[in-house]
Amino acid sequence: MPKLGMEPIRRAALVKATIAEVGDVGSLQVTVGQIARRAGMSTALAHHYFGGKDQIFLAAMRHILSEFKAEVLAELAQAKPDARAEAIIRACFAQSCFAPRAISAWMTFYVMAQTNSEALRLWRLYQCRLRSNLCHALRPVARDPKVAAAVLSALIDGLYLRAALNDPEAGEVATQRALTVLHLLCDR
C-alpha cells in the first residue's frame, strides 16, 4: 500500500519530467517510459496516475499556465490601476516564458491543440482569461476595451511565437512592441 501523500509528489515529478523531456526533444515525440524514467518511477506508475502521454502533457501545461498566472498576479500586484494592461503584457513576455523548456512546451501545446479536444479547450480557456484580464485592465484607459483586448491578445501570441522562434532573448523587444500598440490603442 503506497504511503498517503505520495500521489501529489509523484504527479508533480511526472509533470516536471514531462516539461524537461519535451524541452530536451523539442516536441511531444517522447514516450511515457522516457518521462517515467526521468521522474524516477515505472512506466506503469505513470500510466496509473495520468493514463497516457497526452494527459501527462496536459497536466504539464496546466502547471505552466499556473506559473504564468502567478507571473501575471505578481505584475498586477505592483501595478497602478491605470497600468494594469502594461503589467499583463510584461508578464506575457517575462523571462520565465522564454526558458527553452517553456518555449518547447508552448509550441507543442499549440500544435497539440489542433488535434486534441482537451488541449484545444485548455488553449481556449487561456485565451479567454487573457482577453478578459486585458479587457478589465483596459476599461479605464481604452475607448473600446473589448476590441483593444482582442487586438492585444492576438498581438501577444504573434509576438511570442516570433520571439520564441527567432531569439529567446527577444522578450524585451516583444514587450516594447506590445506596449507601443497598447499606447496607440489608448491614445496615450
Side-chain angles (χ1 to χ4, degrees), residues 110-145:
Y110 280 110
V111 171
M112 187 182 193
Q114 294 177 348
T115 58
N116 181 295
S117 61
E118 183 61 21
L120 181 60
R121 187 194 70 73
L122 190 58
W123 176 81
R124 285 180 176 152
L125 182 61
Y126 153 72
Q127 284 292 309
C128 185
R129 286 182 180 164
L130 178 60
R131 279 192 310 273
S132 175
N133 287 333
L134 283 168
C135 188
H136 178 73
L138 289 164
R139 282 189 183 141
V141 295
R143 276 179 270 130
D144 191 340

PDB file of all heavy atoms in Angstrom, residues 110-145:
ATOM      1  N   TYR A 110       0.494  24.403 -28.712  1.00  0.00           N
ATOM      2  CA  TYR A 110      -0.228  24.965 -29.865  1.00  0.00           C
ATOM      3  C   TYR A 110      -0.476  23.899 -30.925  1.00  0.00           C
ATOM      4  O   TYR A 110      -1.568  23.827 -31.501  1.00  0.00           O
ATOM      5  CB  TYR A 110       0.546  26.134 -30.468  1.00  0.00           C
ATOM      6  CG  TYR A 110       0.371  27.431 -29.717  1.00  0.00           C
ATOM      7  CD1 TYR A 110       1.415  27.982 -28.975  1.00  0.00           C
ATOM      8  CD2 TYR A 110      -0.828  28.127 -29.765  1.00  0.00           C
ATOM      9  CE1 TYR A 110       1.253  29.179 -28.291  1.00  0.00           C
ATOM     10  CE2 TYR A 110      -0.993  29.320 -29.086  1.00  0.00           C
ATOM     11  CZ  TYR A 110       0.044  29.843 -28.350  1.00  0.00           C
ATOM     12  OH  TYR A 110      -0.115  31.011 -27.675  1.00  0.00           O
ATOM     13  N   VAL A 111       0.511  23.069 -31.195  1.00  0.00           N
ATOM     14  CA  VAL A 111       0.355  22.006 -32.189  1.00  0.00           C
ATOM     15  C   VAL A 111      -0.671  20.984 -31.713  1.00  0.00           C
ATOM     16  O   VAL A 111      -1.552  20.569 -32.470  1.00  0.00           O
ATOM     17  CB  VAL A 111       1.714  21.330 -32.491  1.00  0.00           C
ATOM     18  CG1 VAL A 111       1.538  20.085 -33.346  1.00  0.00           C
ATOM     19  CG2 VAL A 111       2.644  22.323 -33.181  1.00  0.00           C
ATOM     20  N   MET A 112      -0.577  20.588 -30.454  1.00  0.00           N
ATOM     21  CA  MET A 112      -1.497  19.588 -29.905  1.00  0.00           C
ATOM     22  C   MET A 112      -2.942  20.079 -29.929  1.00  0.00           C
ATOM     23  O   MET A 112      -3.872  19.293 -30.149  1.00  0.00           O
ATOM     24  CB  MET A 112      -1.077  19.235 -28.476  1.00  0.00           C
ATOM     25  CG  MET A 112      -1.847  18.102 -27.865  1.00  0.00           C
ATOM     26  SD  MET A 112      -1.273  17.845 -26.167  1.00  0.00           S
ATOM     27  CE  MET A 112      -1.998  16.280 -25.836  1.00  0.00           C
ATOM     28  N   ALA A 113      -3.134  21.374 -29.733  1.00  0.00           N
ATOM     29  CA  ALA A 113      -4.491  21.932 -29.702  1.00  0.00           C
ATOM     30  C   ALA A 113      -5.201  21.793 -31.049  1.00  0.00           C
ATOM     31  O   ALA A 113      -6.424  21.864 -31.108  1.00  0.00           O
ATOM     32  CB  ALA A 113      -4.456  23.392 -29.275  1.00  0.00           C
ATOM     33  N   GLN A 114      -4.448  21.553 -32.105  1.00  0.00           N
ATOM     34  CA  GLN A 114      -5.065  21.369 -33.420  1.00  0.00           C
ATOM     35  C   GLN A 114      -5.792  20.033 -33.539  1.00  0.00           C
ATOM     36  O   GLN A 114      -6.714  19.911 -34.339  1.00  0.00           O
ATOM     37  CB  GLN A 114      -4.010  21.464 -34.523  1.00  0.00           C
ATOM     38  CG  GLN A 114      -3.395  22.827 -34.642  1.00  0.00           C
ATOM     39  CD  GLN A 114      -2.301  22.858 -35.693  1.00  0.00           C
ATOM     40  OE1 GLN A 114      -1.849  21.835 -36.191  1.00  0.00           O
ATOM     41  NE2 GLN A 114      -1.875  24.059 -36.049  1.00  0.00           N
ATOM     42  N   THR A 115      -5.362  19.038 -32.754  1.00  0.00           N
ATOM     43  CA  THR A 115      -5.931  17.696 -32.914  1.00  0.00           C
ATOM     44  C   THR A 115      -6.508  17.101 -31.631  1.00  0.00           C
ATOM     45  O   THR A 115      -7.167  16.072 -31.687  1.00  0.00           O
ATOM     46  CB  THR A 115      -4.853  16.716 -33.445  1.00  0.00           C
ATOM     47  OG1 THR A 115      -3.754  16.700 -32.531  1.00  0.00           O
ATOM     48  CG2 THR A 115      -4.373  17.132 -34.825  1.00  0.00           C
ATOM     49  N   ASN A 116      -6.255  17.718 -30.501  1.00  0.00           N
ATOM     50  CA  ASN A 116      -6.704  17.173 -29.223  1.00  0.00           C
ATOM     51  C   ASN A 116      -7.737  18.119 -28.622  1.00  0.00           C
ATOM     52  O   ASN A 116      -7.429  19.277 -28.333  1.00  0.00           O
ATOM     53  CB  ASN A 116      -5.490  17.005 -28.291  1.00  0.00           C
ATOM     54  CG  ASN A 116      -5.851  16.429 -26.960  1.00  0.00           C
ATOM     55  OD1 ASN A 116      -6.561  17.039 -26.173  1.00  0.00           O
ATOM     56  ND2 ASN A 116      -5.344  15.230 -26.684  1.00  0.00           N
ATOM     57  N   SER A 117      -8.942  17.622 -28.419  1.00  0.00           N
ATOM     58  CA  SER A 117     -10.036  18.490 -27.958  1.00  0.00           C
ATOM     59  C   SER A 117      -9.775  19.046 -26.555  1.00  0.00           C
ATOM     60  O   SER A 117     -10.145  20.188 -26.262  1.00  0.00           O
ATOM     61  CB  SER A 117     -11.376  17.756 -28.001  1.00  0.00           C
ATOM     62  OG  SER A 117     -11.342  16.634 -27.148  1.00  0.00           O
ATOM     63  N   GLU A 118      -9.146  18.282 -25.684  1.00  0.00           N
ATOM     64  CA  GLU A 118      -8.854  18.780 -24.333  1.00  0.00           C
ATOM     65  C   GLU A 118      -7.782  19.874 -24.375  1.00  0.00           C
ATOM     66  O   GLU A 118      -7.864  20.867 -23.649  1.00  0.00           O
ATOM     67  CB  GLU A 118      -8.414  17.626 -23.418  1.00  0.00           C
ATOM     68  CG  GLU A 118      -8.156  18.037 -21.990  1.00  0.00           C
ATOM     69  CD  GLU A 118      -9.375  18.630 -21.263  1.00  0.00           C
ATOM     70  OE1 GLU A 118     -10.517  18.388 -21.673  1.00  0.00           O
ATOM     71  OE2 GLU A 118      -9.159  19.349 -20.270  1.00  0.00           O
ATOM     72  N   ALA A 119      -6.786  19.708 -25.239  1.00  0.00           N
ATOM     73  CA  ALA A 119      -5.765  20.755 -25.401  1.00  0.00           C
ATOM     74  C   ALA A 119      -6.402  22.014 -25.991  1.00  0.00           C
ATOM     75  O   ALA A 119      -6.091  23.133 -25.562  1.00  0.00           O
ATOM     76  CB  ALA A 119      -4.628  20.266 -26.290  1.00  0.00           C
ATOM     77  N   LEU A 120      -7.294  21.844 -26.942  1.00  0.00           N
ATOM     78  CA  LEU A 120      -7.991  22.987 -27.529  1.00  0.00           C
ATOM     79  C   LEU A 120      -8.832  23.708 -26.483  1.00  0.00           C
ATOM     80  O   LEU A 120      -8.852  24.940 -26.409  1.00  0.00           O
ATOM     81  CB  LEU A 120      -8.857  22.544 -28.705  1.00  0.00           C
ATOM     82  CG  LEU A 120      -9.633  23.649 -29.426  1.00  0.00           C
ATOM     83  CD1 LEU A 120      -8.691  24.698 -30.006  1.00  0.00           C
ATOM     84  CD2 LEU A 120     -10.497  23.036 -30.526  1.00  0.00           C
ATOM     85  N   ARG A 121      -9.517  22.948 -25.632  1.00  0.00           N
ATOM     86  CA  ARG A 121     -10.316  23.541 -24.560  1.00  0.00           C
ATOM     87  C   ARG A 121      -9.425  24.333 -23.608  1.00  0.00           C
ATOM     88  O   ARG A 121      -9.749  25.457 -23.224  1.00  0.00           O
ATOM     89  CB  ARG A 121     -11.064  22.449 -23.792  1.00  0.00           C
ATOM     90  CG  ARG A 121     -12.052  22.996 -22.761  1.00  0.00           C
ATOM     91  CD  ARG A 121     -12.535  21.930 -21.795  1.00  0.00           C
ATOM     92  NE  ARG A 121     -11.512  21.490 -20.873  1.00  0.00           N
ATOM     93  CZ  ARG A 121     -11.057  22.226 -19.838  1.00  0.00           C
ATOM     94  NH1 ARG A 121     -11.522  23.416 -19.603  1.00  0.00           N
ATOM     95  NH2 ARG A 121     -10.117  21.751 -19.044  1.00  0.00           N
ATOM     96  N   LEU A 122      -8.277  23.777 -23.253  1.00  0.00           N
ATOM     97  CA  LEU A 122      -7.343  24.455 -22.361  1.00  0.00           C
ATOM     98  C   LEU A 122      -6.783  25.717 -23.017  1.00  0.00           C
ATOM     99  O   LEU A 122      -6.675  26.761 -22.376  1.00  0.00           O
ATOM    100  CB  LEU A 122      -6.207  23.493 -21.979  1.00  0.00           C
ATOM    101  CG  LEU A 122      -5.262  23.929 -20.877  1.00  0.00           C
ATOM    102  CD1 LEU A 122      -6.013  24.220 -19.576  1.00  0.00           C
ATOM    103  CD2 LEU A 122      -4.210  22.834 -20.650  1.00  0.00           C
ATOM    104  N   TRP A 123      -6.469  25.644 -24.310  1.00  0.00           N
ATOM    105  CA  TRP A 123      -5.980  26.818 -25.043  1.00  0.00           C
ATOM    106  C   TRP A 123      -7.061  27.906 -25.079  1.00  0.00           C
ATOM    107  O   TRP A 123      -6.774  29.080 -24.863  1.00  0.00           O
ATOM    108  CB  TRP A 123      -5.563  26.428 -26.463  1.00  0.00           C
ATOM    109  CG  TRP A 123      -5.147  27.611 -27.270  1.00  0.00           C
ATOM    110  CD1 TRP A 123      -3.936  28.246 -27.255  1.00  0.00           C
ATOM    111  CD2 TRP A 123      -5.953  28.348 -28.197  1.00  0.00           C
ATOM    112  NE1 TRP A 123      -3.953  29.319 -28.115  1.00  0.00           N
ATOM    113  CE2 TRP A 123      -5.184  29.396 -28.705  1.00  0.00           C
ATOM    114  CE3 TRP A 123      -7.272  28.206 -28.649  1.00  0.00           C
ATOM    115  CZ2 TRP A 123      -5.672  30.303 -29.645  1.00  0.00           C
ATOM    116  CZ3 TRP A 123      -7.749  29.107 -29.576  1.00  0.00           C
ATOM    117  CH2 TRP A 123      -6.950  30.144 -30.067  1.00  0.00           C
ATOM    118  N   ARG A 124      -8.301  27.510 -25.353  1.00  0.00           N
ATOM    119  CA  ARG A 124      -9.398  28.487 -25.382  1.00  0.00           C
ATOM    120  C   ARG A 124      -9.596  29.132 -24.015  1.00  0.00           C
ATOM    121  O   ARG A 124      -9.873  30.343 -23.923  1.00  0.00           O
ATOM    122  CB  ARG A 124     -10.689  27.829 -25.849  1.00  0.00           C
ATOM    123  CG  ARG A 124     -10.703  27.558 -27.337  1.00  0.00           C
ATOM    124  CD  ARG A 124     -11.994  26.911 -27.780  1.00  0.00           C
ATOM    125  NE  ARG A 124     -12.010  26.764 -29.226  1.00  0.00           N
ATOM    126  CZ  ARG A 124     -12.677  25.825 -29.865  1.00  0.00           C
ATOM    127  NH1 ARG A 124     -13.406  24.942 -29.191  1.00  0.00           N
ATOM    128  NH2 ARG A 124     -12.630  25.751 -31.170  1.00  0.00           N
ATOM    129  N   LEU A 125      -9.462  28.358 -22.967  1.00  0.00           N
ATOM    130  CA  LEU A 125      -9.576  28.890 -21.613  1.00  0.00           C
ATOM    131  C   LEU A 125      -8.472  29.919 -21.347  1.00  0.00           C
ATOM    132  O   LEU A 125      -8.724  31.004 -20.818  1.00  0.00           O
ATOM    133  CB  LEU A 125      -9.512  27.752 -20.593  1.00  0.00           C
ATOM    134  CG  LEU A 125      -9.661  28.114 -19.134  1.00  0.00           C
ATOM    135  CD1 LEU A 125     -11.015  28.756 -18.866  1.00  0.00           C
ATOM    136  CD2 LEU A 125      -9.494  26.869 -18.275  1.00  0.00           C
ATOM    137  N   TYR A 126      -7.246  29.589 -21.719  1.00  0.00           N
ATOM    138  CA  TYR A 126      -6.121  30.527 -21.584  1.00  0.00           C
ATOM    139  C   TYR A 126      -6.414  31.817 -22.352  1.00  0.00           C
ATOM    140  O   TYR A 126      -6.238  32.923 -21.836  1.00  0.00           O
ATOM    141  CB  TYR A 126      -4.824  29.864 -22.071  1.00  0.00           C
ATOM    142  CG  TYR A 126      -3.794  30.829 -22.575  1.00  0.00           C
ATOM    143  CD1 TYR A 126      -3.095  31.663 -21.699  1.00  0.00           C
ATOM    144  CD2 TYR A 126      -3.512  30.933 -23.933  1.00  0.00           C
ATOM    145  CE1 TYR A 126      -2.159  32.567 -22.173  1.00  0.00           C
ATOM    146  CE2 TYR A 126      -2.586  31.827 -24.404  1.00  0.00           C
ATOM    147  CZ  TYR A 126      -1.908  32.643 -23.522  1.00  0.00           C
ATOM    148  OH  TYR A 126      -0.988  33.538 -24.000  1.00  0.00           O
ATOM    149  N   GLN A 127      -6.858  31.686 -23.603  1.00  0.00           N
ATOM    150  CA  GLN A 127      -7.153  32.856 -24.430  1.00  0.00           C
ATOM    151  C   GLN A 127      -8.278  33.704 -23.829  1.00  0.00           C
ATOM    152  O   GLN A 127      -8.194  34.927 -23.800  1.00  0.00           O
ATOM    153  CB  GLN A 127      -7.536  32.418 -25.850  1.00  0.00           C
ATOM    154  CG  GLN A 127      -6.370  31.992 -26.691  1.00  0.00           C
ATOM    155  CD  GLN A 127      -5.472  33.160 -27.004  1.00  0.00           C
ATOM    156  OE1 GLN A 127      -5.911  34.205 -27.458  1.00  0.00           O
ATOM    157  NE2 GLN A 127      -4.192  32.987 -26.743  1.00  0.00           N
ATOM    158  N   CYS A 128      -9.325  33.037 -23.360  1.00  0.00           N
ATOM    159  CA  CYS A 128     -10.460  33.742 -22.770  1.00  0.00           C
ATOM    160  C   CYS A 128     -10.033  34.533 -21.537  1.00  0.00           C
ATOM    161  O   CYS A 128     -10.416  35.695 -21.364  1.00  0.00           O
ATOM    162  CB  CYS A 128     -11.555  32.732 -22.426  1.00  0.00           C
ATOM    163  SG  CYS A 128     -13.071  33.493 -21.809  1.00  0.00           S
ATOM    164  N   ARG A 129      -9.219  33.913 -20.686  1.00  0.00           N
ATOM    165  CA  ARG A 129      -8.741  34.603 -19.475  1.00  0.00           C
ATOM    166  C   ARG A 129      -7.834  35.766 -19.827  1.00  0.00           C
ATOM    167  O   ARG A 129      -7.911  36.826 -19.201  1.00  0.00           O
ATOM    168  CB  ARG A 129      -8.015  33.629 -18.556  1.00  0.00           C
ATOM    169  CG  ARG A 129      -8.956  32.706 -17.840  1.00  0.00           C
ATOM    170  CD  ARG A 129      -8.236  31.783 -16.899  1.00  0.00           C
ATOM    171  NE  ARG A 129      -9.169  30.914 -16.218  1.00  0.00           N
ATOM    172  CZ  ARG A 129      -8.822  29.829 -15.582  1.00  0.00           C
ATOM    173  NH1 ARG A 129      -7.560  29.461 -15.517  1.00  0.00           N
ATOM    174  NH2 ARG A 129      -9.730  29.093 -14.986  1.00  0.00           N
ATOM    175  N   LEU A 130      -6.972  35.577 -20.808  1.00  0.00           N
ATOM    176  CA  LEU A 130      -6.079  36.661 -21.215  1.00  0.00           C
ATOM    177  C   LEU A 130      -6.894  37.846 -21.731  1.00  0.00           C
ATOM    178  O   LEU A 130      -6.692  38.987 -21.309  1.00  0.00           O
ATOM    179  CB  LEU A 130      -5.091  36.178 -22.284  1.00  0.00           C
ATOM    180  CG  LEU A 130      -4.137  37.240 -22.836  1.00  0.00           C
ATOM    181  CD1 LEU A 130      -3.271  37.837 -21.735  1.00  0.00           C
ATOM    182  CD2 LEU A 130      -3.264  36.636 -23.942  1.00  0.00           C
ATOM    183  N   ARG A 131      -7.838  37.590 -22.626  1.00  0.00           N
ATOM    184  CA  ARG A 131      -8.676  38.674 -23.160  1.00  0.00           C
ATOM    185  C   ARG A 131      -9.511  39.326 -22.061  1.00  0.00           C
ATOM    186  O   ARG A 131      -9.647  40.548 -22.014  1.00  0.00           O
ATOM    187  CB  ARG A 131      -9.576  38.150 -24.278  1.00  0.00           C
ATOM    188  CG  ARG A 131      -8.882  38.040 -25.606  1.00  0.00           C
ATOM    189  CD  ARG A 131      -9.853  37.804 -26.756  1.00  0.00           C
ATOM    190  NE  ARG A 131     -10.781  36.723 -26.510  1.00  0.00           N
ATOM    191  CZ  ARG A 131     -10.539  35.437 -26.770  1.00  0.00           C
ATOM    192  NH1 ARG A 131      -9.399  35.067 -27.273  1.00  0.00           N
ATOM    193  NH2 ARG A 131     -11.463  34.523 -26.524  1.00  0.00           N
ATOM    194  N   SER A 132     -10.076  38.512 -21.175  1.00  0.00           N
ATOM    195  CA  SER A 132     -10.883  39.048 -20.077  1.00  0.00           C
ATOM    196  C   SER A 132     -10.050  39.940 -19.157  1.00  0.00           C
ATOM    197  O   SER A 132     -10.480  41.035 -18.776  1.00  0.00           O
ATOM    198  CB  SER A 132     -11.504  37.891 -19.296  1.00  0.00           C
ATOM    199  OG  SER A 132     -12.184  38.359 -18.168  1.00  0.00           O
ATOM    200  N   ASN A 133      -8.858  39.466 -18.792  1.00  0.00           N
ATOM    201  CA  ASN A 133      -7.985  40.270 -17.937  1.00  0.00           C
ATOM    202  C   ASN A 133      -7.563  41.563 -18.622  1.00  0.00           C
ATOM    203  O   ASN A 133      -7.539  42.629 -18.001  1.00  0.00           O
ATOM    204  CB  ASN A 133      -6.748  39.465 -17.520  1.00  0.00           C
ATOM    205  CG  ASN A 133      -7.068  38.403 -16.499  1.00  0.00           C
ATOM    206  OD1 ASN A 133      -8.024  38.529 -15.739  1.00  0.00           O
ATOM    207  ND2 ASN A 133      -6.282  37.345 -16.482  1.00  0.00           N
ATOM    208  N   LEU A 134      -7.251  41.470 -19.905  1.00  0.00           N
ATOM    209  CA  LEU A 134      -6.881  42.684 -20.647  1.00  0.00           C
ATOM    210  C   LEU A 134      -8.071  43.641 -20.750  1.00  0.00           C
ATOM    211  O   LEU A 134      -7.917  44.848 -20.553  1.00  0.00           O
ATOM    212  CB  LEU A 134      -6.372  42.326 -22.049  1.00  0.00           C
ATOM    213  CG  LEU A 134      -4.950  41.791 -22.127  1.00  0.00           C
ATOM    214  CD1 LEU A 134      -4.673  41.196 -23.503  1.00  0.00           C
ATOM    215  CD2 LEU A 134      -3.944  42.891 -21.806  1.00  0.00           C
ATOM    216  N   CYS A 135      -9.237  43.108 -21.046  1.00  0.00           N
ATOM    217  CA  CYS A 135     -10.435  43.943 -21.165  1.00  0.00           C
ATOM    218  C   CYS A 135     -10.698  44.690 -19.862  1.00  0.00           C
ATOM    219  O   CYS A 135     -10.952  45.901 -19.858  1.00  0.00           O
ATOM    220  CB  CYS A 135     -11.631  43.079 -21.556  1.00  0.00           C
ATOM    221  SG  CYS A 135     -13.114  44.026 -21.943  1.00  0.00           S
ATOM    222  N   HIS A 136     -10.619  43.989 -18.747  1.00  0.00           N
ATOM    223  CA  HIS A 136     -10.830  44.618 -17.441  1.00  0.00           C
ATOM    224  C   HIS A 136      -9.771  45.702 -17.187  1.00  0.00           C
ATOM    225  O   HIS A 136     -10.096  46.795 -16.721  1.00  0.00           O
ATOM    226  CB  HIS A 136     -10.786  43.560 -16.345  1.00  0.00           C
ATOM    227  CG  HIS A 136     -10.955  44.125 -14.974  1.00  0.00           C
ATOM    228  ND1 HIS A 136     -12.166  44.587 -14.507  1.00  0.00           N
ATOM    229  CD2 HIS A 136     -10.055  44.332 -13.982  1.00  0.00           C
ATOM    230  CE1 HIS A 136     -12.005  45.057 -13.277  1.00  0.00           C
ATOM    231  NE2 HIS A 136     -10.733  44.905 -12.933  1.00  0.00           N
ATOM    232  N   ALA A 137      -8.531  45.388 -17.527  1.00  0.00           N
ATOM    233  CA  ALA A 137      -7.447  46.347 -17.306  1.00  0.00           C
ATOM    234  C   ALA A 137      -7.553  47.564 -18.213  1.00  0.00           C
ATOM    235  O   ALA A 137      -7.106  48.658 -17.852  1.00  0.00           O
ATOM    236  CB  ALA A 137      -6.098  45.661 -17.524  1.00  0.00           C
ATOM    237  N   LEU A 138      -8.159  47.374 -19.382  1.00  0.00           N
ATOM    238  CA  LEU A 138      -8.246  48.462 -20.361  1.00  0.00           C
ATOM    239  C   LEU A 138      -9.457  49.366 -20.161  1.00  0.00           C
ATOM    240  O   LEU A 138      -9.526  50.442 -20.760  1.00  0.00           O
ATOM    241  CB  LEU A 138      -8.266  47.875 -21.776  1.00  0.00           C
ATOM    242  CG  LEU A 138      -6.945  47.272 -22.246  1.00  0.00           C
ATOM    243  CD1 LEU A 138      -7.159  46.382 -23.455  1.00  0.00           C
ATOM    244  CD2 LEU A 138      -5.945  48.375 -22.549  1.00  0.00           C
ATOM    245  N   ARG A 139     -10.405  48.971 -19.337  1.00  0.00           N
ATOM    246  CA  ARG A 139     -11.618  49.777 -19.150  1.00  0.00           C
ATOM    247  C   ARG A 139     -11.339  51.236 -18.813  1.00  0.00           C
ATOM    248  O   ARG A 139     -11.968  52.121 -19.376  1.00  0.00           O
ATOM    249  CB  ARG A 139     -12.522  49.138 -18.103  1.00  0.00           C
ATOM    250  CG  ARG A 139     -13.276  47.964 -18.669  1.00  0.00           C
ATOM    251  CD  ARG A 139     -14.321  47.451 -17.714  1.00  0.00           C
ATOM    252  NE  ARG A 139     -14.939  46.274 -18.323  1.00  0.00           N
ATOM    253  CZ  ARG A 139     -15.292  45.206 -17.672  1.00  0.00           C
ATOM    254  NH1 ARG A 139     -15.142  45.141 -16.363  1.00  0.00           N
ATOM    255  NH2 ARG A 139     -15.816  44.187 -18.296  1.00  0.00           N
ATOM    256  N   PRO A 140     -10.415  51.520 -17.904  1.00  0.00           N
ATOM    257  CA  PRO A 140     -10.203  52.940 -17.576  1.00  0.00           C
ATOM    258  C   PRO A 140      -9.423  53.720 -18.635  1.00  0.00           C
ATOM    259  O   PRO A 140      -9.381  54.943 -18.581  1.00  0.00           O
ATOM    260  CB  PRO A 140      -9.397  52.908 -16.267  1.00  0.00           C
ATOM    261  CG  PRO A 140      -9.149  51.500 -15.926  1.00  0.00           C
ATOM    262  CD  PRO A 140      -9.691  50.634 -16.998  1.00  0.00           C
ATOM    263  N   VAL A 141      -8.790  53.022 -19.595  1.00  0.00           N
ATOM    264  CA  VAL A 141      -7.875  53.744 -20.487  1.00  0.00           C
ATOM    265  C   VAL A 141      -8.182  53.622 -21.981  1.00  0.00           C
ATOM    266  O   VAL A 141      -7.635  54.373 -22.778  1.00  0.00           O
ATOM    267  CB  VAL A 141      -6.406  53.323 -20.235  1.00  0.00           C
ATOM    268  CG1 VAL A 141      -5.949  53.739 -18.851  1.00  0.00           C
ATOM    269  CG2 VAL A 141      -6.215  51.829 -20.443  1.00  0.00           C
ATOM    270  N   ALA A 142      -9.035  52.689 -22.381  1.00  0.00           N
ATOM    271  CA  ALA A 142      -9.305  52.487 -23.814  1.00  0.00           C
ATOM    272  C   ALA A 142     -10.743  52.857 -24.155  1.00  0.00           C
ATOM    273  O   ALA A 142     -11.645  52.676 -23.342  1.00  0.00           O
ATOM    274  CB  ALA A 142      -9.047  51.029 -24.183  1.00  0.00           C
ATOM    275  N   ARG A 143     -10.930  53.359 -25.365  1.00  0.00           N
ATOM    276  CA  ARG A 143     -12.279  53.700 -25.828  1.00  0.00           C
ATOM    277  C   ARG A 143     -13.143  52.455 -25.973  1.00  0.00           C
ATOM    278  O   ARG A 143     -14.298  52.455 -25.592  1.00  0.00           O
ATOM    279  CB  ARG A 143     -12.212  54.431 -27.166  1.00  0.00           C
ATOM    280  CG  ARG A 143     -11.964  55.914 -27.013  1.00  0.00           C
ATOM    281  CD  ARG A 143     -11.885  56.625 -28.349  1.00  0.00           C
ATOM    282  NE  ARG A 143     -10.473  56.580 -28.740  1.00  0.00           N
ATOM    283  CZ  ARG A 143     -10.023  56.190 -29.916  1.00  0.00           C
ATOM    284  NH1 ARG A 143     -10.842  55.843 -30.861  1.00  0.00           N
ATOM    285  NH2 ARG A 143      -8.742  56.167 -30.170  1.00  0.00           N
ATOM    286  N   ASP A 144     -12.580  51.391 -26.536  1.00  0.00           N
ATOM    287  CA  ASP A 144     -13.310  50.134 -26.705  1.00  0.00           C
ATOM    288  C   ASP A 144     -12.446  49.000 -26.134  1.00  0.00           C
ATOM    289  O   ASP A 144     -11.676  48.369 -26.857  1.00  0.00           O
ATOM    290  CB  ASP A 144     -13.620  49.881 -28.181  1.00  0.00           C
ATOM    291  CG  ASP A 144     -14.600  48.740 -28.381  1.00  0.00           C
ATOM    292  OD1 ASP A 144     -14.762  47.905 -27.459  1.00  0.00           O
ATOM    293  OD2 ASP A 144     -15.198  48.673 -29.466  1.00  0.00           O
ATOM    294  N   PRO A 145     -12.567  48.746 -24.830  1.00  0.00           N
ATOM    295  CA  PRO A 145     -11.692  47.763 -24.177  1.00  0.00           C
ATOM    296  C   PRO A 145     -11.773  46.356 -24.773  1.00  0.00           C
ATOM    297  O   PRO A 145     -10.767  45.662 -24.846  1.00  0.00           O
ATOM    298  CB  PRO A 145     -12.174  47.753 -22.732  1.00  0.00           C
ATOM    299  CG  PRO A 145     -12.985  48.967 -22.561  1.00  0.00           C
ATOM    300  CD  PRO A 145     -13.494  49.366 -23.904  1.00  0.00           C
TER     301      PRO A 145
END
